[in-house]
Amino acid sequence: MTNYTGTILDYVRDIKNESIASIQFRQQWIMKTELTPPKYEGDGQLDKWMPTRRWHNSSGIGSPGHTAKCIVDTSKVFIMFVHYVTQFFPATNVSEYVQMRVDPEEGLVRHYRDLSLGDWGRIWLNTTLQFGALRNTDYPSEFLGKLTENVKRRAKYVYDNYYY
């Protein structure tokens, strides 16, 4: 979330319009120029390699609907394509279900892309440059500490409970 003061969950819960079945966010691509380590080796590695800390070279924000990302109400969405809903269930308490587009001033997806994987950089980078020149952006500093703490806690939970 950008200028919205709560969490994504708060944002979704604040939507009271029953006809909204999908919330669509535009995205900004963050260019990853190195592959992340193949194996988790502890908190120090996360401090160095966590994408929000390591990569900042960012595209402009994609145009509405262009490779957007959605949060959907699965009780209202029947078929979902990668970037948008293709079919809603028949509406029950409203005339029809709809998709709501979120303004980037409220929220957007920071999509970290490995330029070398699948030749993404060669195939797609020029398309993303149509949305504006590359520039350095940062994850909001007031949230970075909490995000880092949460990632470390989750990684510790996953890897300390996994038996090789």
Side-chain angles (χ1 to χ4, degrees), residues 16-20 76 89-98:
K16 304 300 183 207
N17 184 338
E18 287 296 318
S19 68
I20 295 175
K76 298 175 182 177
F89 280 112
T92 53
N93 297 327
V94 294
S95 61
E96 65 179 346
Y97 293 133
V98 296

Side-chain angles (χ1 to χ4, degrees), residues 53-111:
R53 293 180 164 278
R54 191 168 185 90
W55 291 287
H56 307 281
N57 193 21
S58 309
S59 71
I61 298 169
S63 60
H66 184 278
T67 60
K69 305 297 181 192
C70 299
I71 297 174
V72 300
D73 180 338
T74 57
S75 69
K76 298 175 182 177
V77 171
F78 182 60
I79 301 173
M80 178 74 197
F81 181 62
V82 177
H83 301 293
Y84 54 87
V85 175
T86 58
Q87 187 174 357
F88 297 100
F89 280 112
T92 53
N93 297 327
V94 294
S95 61
E96 65 179 346
Y97 293 133
V98 296
Q99 180 164 272
M100 178 184 97
R101 287 183 170 171
V102 176
D103 290 328
E105 294 77 26
E106 285 189 273
L108 62 92
V109 171
R110 293 174 52 87
H111 192 150

Side-chain angles (χ1 to χ4, degrees), residues 92-155:
T92 53
N93 297 327
V94 294
S95 61
E96 65 179 346
Y97 293 133
V98 296
Q99 180 164 272
M100 178 184 97
R101 287 183 170 171
V102 176
D103 290 328
E105 294 77 26
E106 285 189 273
L108 62 92
V109 171
R110 293 174 52 87
H111 192 150
Y112 292 81
R113 292 305 311 223
D114 287 293
L115 294 178
S116 61
L117 289 179
D119 245 357
W120 190 90
R122 184 183 62 76
I123 297 168
W124 297 108
L125 182 58
N126 284 336
T127 300
T128 63
L129 293 176
Q130 294 172 9
F131 305 123
L134 295 175
R135 60 194 184 282
N136 280 333
T137 63
D138 286 314
Y139 190 80
S141 59
E142 64 267 28
F143 303 123
L144 189 56
K146 183 68 171 169
L147 175 66
T148 302
E149 176 186 318
N150 289 345
V151 169
K152 286 179 178 181
R153 186 174 51 250
R154 179 60 56 98

